[in-house]
Amino acid sequence: MADLSFNFYAGSCPGAEFIIRNTVRSASTSDPSVLGKLLRLIFHDCFVQGCDASVLIRGNGTERSDPGNASLGGFTVIESAKNVLEIFCPGIVSCADILVLAARDAVEALGGPVVAIPTGRRDGMVSVAENVRPNIIDTDFTVDKMINIFSSKGLSVQDLVVLSGAHTIGAAHCNTFNSRFKRDPRGNFELIDTSLDNSYAQTLLNKCSSSIDPTTTVVNNDPETSSTFDNQYYRNLLVHKGLFQTDSALMEDDRTRKIVEVLANDEESFFERWSESFMKMSVIGVRVGDEGEIRHSCFAVN
C-alpha cells in the first residue's frame, strides 16, 4: 500500500503544486475573501470522515447540503484548479490533495508560514449530511467540548489553540456571534456575554444591526489585521476581542489560556506550531493506495 509522501506527483504531474498555487493566487486577486474560505474548507473536510474531499460533493443528503456547511465557500477555486490539472495530467491529482494544498497556499498568500505538505490522498466516495454536526465545532462550544472533538481526531489541546489561530483571517456572519449582546426594548446596548470587550461588542452590534438580515452581513474575524495571517488573533483574545464564544472560551480555561499567552507574544512560535498542527490536521483519516478514487470532477464521485 502506497502512503503519503512529499512530492508525490513529482513523476506523474510535476507542475501540480505550482498550478494549484497559481489558481489560488489569481482567484484571490479578484476576490481576497476566498483565501479565508479555502482555509475554512479544510477544517470542514478533514473533521468529517477525514481529508477525503467529501465536503465538495454536490447533491441531496451530502455533507455540503447540511445547514452547518451552508456558509462554506471557495468551491470554484478548487474546481478550477482541478480543471487545469485534468488538462495536463488527467486522472492523477486528487481533489483531497487540491483542498489541502489550496488551504496551505491561502495561508502563504496572506503572509503566513509556508508548510510542506505530503500528498497522495485519495478521494472518498461517500458524503453524508448526518456526519457533519457531530464532528464540527459550533460557535457556542465549551473548551471541554472542543477538546473532545479535537482529541477524537488525534489532535491535542495545543493543536486546538493553534488551529483556532485561523481566525486571524476570514469573516463571519452576524448570526454566528450576535447572541453575545443585544438591544434592550428601549434600543440601548446590552452586553450578555461578559467575556467580550464592551466597546468591541457595541461596534459589532452597530455593524450587525445596520442590516436587515444577520445571515448576510459579514464582519472580519480579526478586527485589527484581517488581511494578514499573523498572531494578532491571540493578542485580540488577551484584550477580550475574540469574535466567537469559542474564541473567548480559550481565555477562560487554564489549559488553553497559557498557550494563547505564549502565541500572543511570539509570532515565530505561532508559525512553527501552525506548521505542525496544520500538517497533523491535513492527514486525518486519509485514504491512500487503492482506497477511494481520483475524481474526474471534484463535485461528484466517478
Side-chain angles (χ1 to χ4, degrees):
M1 184 185 85
D3 221 339
L4 297 185
S5 59
F6 291 100
N7 300 318
F8 180 85
Y9 297 110
S12 58
C13 189
E17 297 199 16
F18 177 76
I19 287 168
I20 294 164
R21 181 181 274 114
N22 268 5
T23 308
V24 170
R25 288 286 168 117
S26 65
S28 71
T29 314
S30 51
D31 176 14
S33 78
V34 83
L35 298 169
K37 292 171 185 172
L38 288 169
L39 182 52
R40 183 170 176 227
L41 211 42
I42 180 190
F43 279 88
H44 284 249
D45 185 39
C46 295
F47 272 56
V48 183
Q49 55 174 46
C51 309
D52 65 346
S54 55
V55 75
L56 300 177
I57 296 171
R58 280 201 184 121
N60 293 338
T62 60
E63 290 174 31
R64 199 166 159 178
S65 73
D66 185 86
N69 281 338
S71 61
L72 291 177
F75 296 106
T76 51
V77 184
I78 305 296
E79 189 67 5
S80 53
K82 178 64 169 168
N83 291 340
V84 178
L85 290 164
E86 286 301 297
I87 294 167
F88 289 103
C89 340
I92 299 291
V93 182
S94 68
C95 299
D97 276 342
I98 296 171
L99 243 179
V100 169
L101 292 168
R104 181 269 305 265
D105 296 338
V107 168
E108 185 190 331
L110 290 165
V114 184
V115 186
I117 293 288
T119 40
R121 294 163 191 76
R122 310 263 301 170
D123 294 324
M125 298 162 80
V126 176
S127 180
V128 183
E130 287 78 80
N131 292 337
V132 174
R133 293 311 176 83
N135 287 293
I136 57 173
I137 304 286
D138 213 343
T139 51
D140 60 356
F141 277 18
T142 61
V143 168
D144 279 330
K145 221 169 166 184
M146 291 192 282
I147 288 175
N148 287 344
I149 287 194
F150 269 68
S151 73
S152 73
K153 311 295 169 199
L155 299 173
S156 66
V157 175
Q158 173 163 293
D159 296 322
L160 163 63
V161 179
V162 169
L163 292 170
S164 295
H167 292 161
T168 179
I169 61 167
H173 294 97
C174 287
N175 59 315
T176 57
F177 58 81
N178 64 3
S179 61
R180 306 183 75 190
F181 45 76
K182 66 173 187 191
R183 286 197 194 281
D184 68 17
R186 290 192 302 277
N188 297 322
F189 166 80
E190 190 183 319
L191 188 61
I192 298 170
D193 181 345
T194 52
S195 65
L196 193 59
D197 175 79
N198 202 307
S199 64
Y200 178 49
Q202 289 193 45
T203 307
L204 293 173
L205 178 68
N206 292 337
K207 280 186 181 166
C208 290
S209 51
S210 62
S211 101
I212 321 311
D213 185 356
T215 57
T216 56
T217 307
V218 291
V219 170
N220 288 329
N221 292 339
D222 174 355
E224 306 296 330
T225 59
S226 61
S227 53
T228 311
F229 191 94
D230 54 18
N231 70 335
Q232 182 64 45
Y233 166 77
Y234 301 103
R235 290 199 287 245
N236 297 340
L237 294 189
L238 296 185
V239 293
H240 306 288
K241 292 184 180 179
L243 184 61
F244 303 119
Q245 212 172 310
T246 42
D247 295 323
S248 300
L250 299 176
M251 287 298 289
E252 311 286 305
D253 187 301
D254 282 348
R255 293 168 294 179
T256 50
R257 190 185 67 245
K258 289 180 182 130
I259 305 170
V260 168
E261 287 166 351
V262 171
L263 300 176
N265 291 310
D266 187 349
E267 190 169 80
E268 204 174 314
S269 170
F270 169 48
F271 280 12
E272 278 166 23
R273 295 187 199 193
W274 172 269
S275 301
E276 286 165 31
S277 297
F278 184 87
M279 162 84 141
K280 276 173 76 175
M281 176 172 64
S282 82
V283 298
I284 296 171
V286 293
R287 286 143 189 75
V288 289
D290 52 11
E291 303 167 323
E293 63 179 11
I294 305 295
R295 280 180 219 150
H296 302 309
S297 157
C298 289
F299 297 161
V301 296
N302 294 348

